[in-house]
């Protein structure tokens, strides 16, 4: 049965967002807002290129104009737009928008209800505020990399951007939507999102061990970073399985699945020697069978043991397929392209994917009454 109102409403249809951001943190934040129904207008520089090849996804359902912000007429165009687009997201270094005459105070005087979100590596204040950086630098400064990885090989190299996405994008959306609620009672505000600050906050489970307990956080020392059997295990054919069987029922199922139920008693002992012996036994057991054999075995056990999939395999996984996590989005040329779906689901809302990202400036004539610059 179709959810009531699913075809009739979006969650953020009343929000109009002016997006000056580039690369990943800001564009992913505004992608989330666009998927939820916000009217997002991407402001790009003339001649902008999709250097990473991802803009058709990141700019999904957004409109696009091009403006040369070094030109006075472009600044005036932005000021006119701010009368209507009452949320601004920018990702320049601190002070750049102020020098252009487009800082929070300048635009707030035009629209007092303005919500102005700045996403930077280190924030608008502090000794590092003007320092350049990338995701790998922010999670390093934030302490996340310091106890990730292994003693032998050093910090882990992550396949996804933790500081950019979990730090910048998600916290920006939380801040913006909180400001929208607050605006109903008062007015607009400026939001300062530091990807380093937000990454530092992700030390949620481990930080108390240090701050209250005085424990130095190191690789392979904690329960969840390799200091226990909670880990990845290589199979006979060089693939990997993840094992997270921490609770006793799951631990017991793990022992049964690998054909060694007698290991359960050993696993419940708290001394270091028993822990090493148990982890070694798991490692040797996984090396006896190949990846697909273990998939078949663990399909019948609730052991919190799952295969490490490639992205291609994940996209074809029956659970993610049933959840509709790959969608087809119109590409503007009469075809469709596969993209990752909006993961937010509610009882009254279904995302509408209007189109893949447009070429820069495609909406100039409509919005600025000027040709594509």
């Amino acid at each position: 049965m179709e959810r009531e109102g699913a075809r009739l409403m979006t969650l953020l249809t009343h929000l109009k967002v002016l997006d000056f951001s580039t690369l990943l943190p800001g564009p992913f934040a505004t992608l989330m807002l666009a998927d939820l129904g916000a009217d997002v207008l991407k402001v790009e520089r003339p001649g902008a290129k999709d250097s990473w090849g991802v803009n058709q996804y990141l700019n999904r359902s957004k409109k696009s104009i091009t403006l040369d912000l070094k030109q006075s007429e472009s600044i005036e165009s932005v000021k006119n737009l701010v009368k209507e687009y009452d949320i601004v997201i920018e990702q320049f270094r601190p002070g750049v928008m102020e020098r252009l005459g487009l800082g929070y105070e300048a635009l707030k005087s035009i629209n007092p209800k303005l919500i102005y979100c700045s996403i930077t590596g280190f924030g608008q204040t502090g000794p590092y505020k003007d320092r350049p950086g990338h995701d790998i630098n922010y999670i390093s400064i934030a302490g996340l990399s310091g106890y990730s990885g292994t003693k032998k090989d050093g910090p882990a190299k992550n396949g996804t951007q933790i500081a950019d996405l979990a730090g910048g994008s998600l916290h920006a959306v939380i801040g913006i939507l909180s400001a929208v609620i607050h605006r109903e009672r008062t007015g607009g505000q400026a939001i300062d999102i530091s990807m380093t600050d937000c990454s530092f906050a992700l030390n949620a489970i481990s930080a108390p061990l240090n701050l209250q307990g005085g424990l130095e956080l190191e690789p392979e020392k904690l329960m969840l970073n390799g200091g226990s059997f909670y880990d990845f295990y290589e199979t006979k054919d060089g693939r990997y399985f993840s094992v997270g069987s921490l609770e006793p029922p799951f631990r017991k199922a793990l022992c049964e699945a690998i054909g060694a139920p007698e290991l359960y008693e050993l696993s419940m002992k708290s001394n270091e020697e028993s822990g090493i012996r148990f982890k070694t036994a798991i490692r040797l057991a996984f090396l006896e069978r190949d990846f697909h054999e273990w998939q078949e075995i663990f399909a019948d056990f609730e052991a919190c043991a799952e295969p490490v999939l490639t992205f291609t395999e994940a996209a074809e996984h029956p659970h993610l397929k049933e959840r509709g996590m790959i969608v087809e989005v119109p590409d503007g040329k009469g075809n469709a392209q596969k993209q990752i779906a909006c993961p937010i689901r509610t009882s009254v809302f279904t995302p509408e994917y209007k189109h893949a990202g447009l070429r820069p400036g495609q909406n100039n004539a409509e919005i600025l009454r000027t040709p594509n610059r």
Side-chain angles (χ1 to χ4, degrees):
M1 185 176 74
E2 183 147 25
R3 290 173 290 179
E4 182 181 356
R7 294 181 298 175
L8 301 178
M9 68 172 294
T10 59
L11 300 180
L12 303 179
T13 189
H14 59 297
L15 300 186
K16 297 177 75 69
V17 182
L18 204 55
D19 180 8
F20 292 90
S21 65
T22 58
L23 299 177
L24 183 58
F28 190 80
T30 53
L31 169 65
M32 295 180 68
L33 296 174
D35 281 346
L36 293 172
D39 179 354
V40 178
L41 177 59
K42 193 85 168 64
V43 182
E44 304 183 81
R45 60 179 177 80
K49 303 293 184 182
D50 183 4
S51 57
W52 291 87
V54 297
N55 283 355
Q56 287 197 311
Y57 167 57
L58 291 177
N59 291 337
R60 176 170 71 203
S61 298
K62 304 174 189 177
K63 297 175 183 176
S64 174
I65 60 172
T66 51
L67 289 173
D68 182 354
L69 298 181
K70 296 179 181 179
Q71 304 298 321
S72 59
E73 61 268 26
S74 294
I75 302 302
E76 290 306 309
S77 294
V78 172
K79 291 180 177 179
N80 285 327
L81 287 168
V82 165
K83 297 174 184 177
E84 179 182 1
Y85 286 82
D86 55 0
I87 298 173
V88 166
I89 297 183
E90 62 94 6
Q91 202 175 305
F92 296 106
R93 288 198 195 183
V96 170
M97 289 291 270
E98 283 76 11
R99 289 194 293 273
L100 292 170
L102 298 176
Y104 172 63
E105 293 297 334
L107 298 186
K108 175 186 174 184
S109 66
I110 300 170
N111 186 344
K113 292 187 175 182
L114 180 69
I115 294 170
Y116 191 104
C117 180
S118 298
I119 305 174
T120 57
F122 297 104
Q124 300 296 303
T125 61
Y128 270 33
K129 69 182 180 68
D130 295 318
R131 194 175 181 90
H134 280 291
D135 191 274
I136 194 171
N137 308 126
Y138 309 140
I139 61 174
S140 296
I141 292 292
L144 289 173
S145 297
Y147 60 100
S148 300
T150 65
K151 295 175 183 178
K152 177 184 177 182
D153 298 320
K157 293 173 283 294
N158 301 293
T160 192
Q161 292 69 42
I162 296 173
D164 287 2
L165 297 173
S169 306
L170 299 186
H171 284 84
V173 171
I174 292 168
I176 289 167
L177 296 183
S178 299
V180 169
I181 295 171
H182 184 263
R183 182 169 64 182
E184 295 176 359
R185 300 191 304 272
T186 55
Q189 60 186 277
I191 301 169
D192 175 6
I193 297 293
S194 157
M195 288 182 272
T196 302
D197 290 358
C198 295
S199 297
F200 187 66
L202 298 178
N203 289 292
I205 291 181
S206 301
L209 300 175
N210 175 273
L211 297 175
Q212 283 89 52
L215 177 67
E216 190 61 40
L217 305 182
E218 300 173 6
E220 298 182 292
K221 188 173 183 178
L222 309 175
M223 178 181 291
L224 304 181
N225 79 340
S228 72
F229 67 91
Y230 183 98
D231 210 333
F232 298 104
Y233 294 89
E234 187 176 5
T235 62
K236 184 177 180 180
D237 54 348
R239 297 289 301 271
Y240 284 86
F241 252 72
S242 62
V243 171
S245 317
L246 294 177
E247 295 80 2
F250 302 139
R251 202 177 302 190
K252 186 176 182 180
L254 170 68
C255 295
E256 293 173 351
I258 65 175
E262 70 279 4
L263 288 176
Y264 175 67
E265 183 177 345
L266 176 66
S267 78
M268 296 303 293
K269 295 180 179 180
S270 58
N271 61 80
E272 183 177 357
E273 180 185 355
S274 296
I276 293 173
R277 287 172 56 199
F278 181 58
K279 186 169 183 176
T280 300
I282 298 174
R283 180 177 61 81
L284 294 175
F286 269 96
L287 287 170
E288 293 177 357
R289 299 177 185 271
D290 67 29
F291 183 76
H292 294 294
E293 286 182 280
W294 285 121
Q295 281 186 296
E296 293 178 359
I297 290 170
F298 279 106
D300 296 326
F301 288 90
E302 293 185 349
C304 295
E306 300 293 350
V308 176
L309 301 180
T310 67
F311 180 81
T312 300
E313 290 170 335
E316 290 297 320
H317 192 280
H319 180 76
L320 292 174
K321 289 184 73 173
E322 192 281 331
R323 295 284 292 175
M325 284 307 299
I326 298 293
V327 292
E328 293 196 346
V329 179
D331 67 356
K333 302 176 182 178
N335 301 309
Q337 61 178 240
K338 291 183 178 181
Q339 295 186 358
I340 296 175
C342 173
I344 297 173
R345 298 164 183 270
T346 87
S347 59
V348 299
F349 163 72
T350 298
E352 176 189 1
Y353 307 108
K354 298 176 183 177
H355 49 73
L358 304 176
R359 70 176 188 277
Q362 191 161 332
N363 299 108
N364 276 15
E366 169 195 350
I367 294 172
L368 301 174
R369 305 292 190 267
T370 61
N372 188 350
R373 300 182 182 189

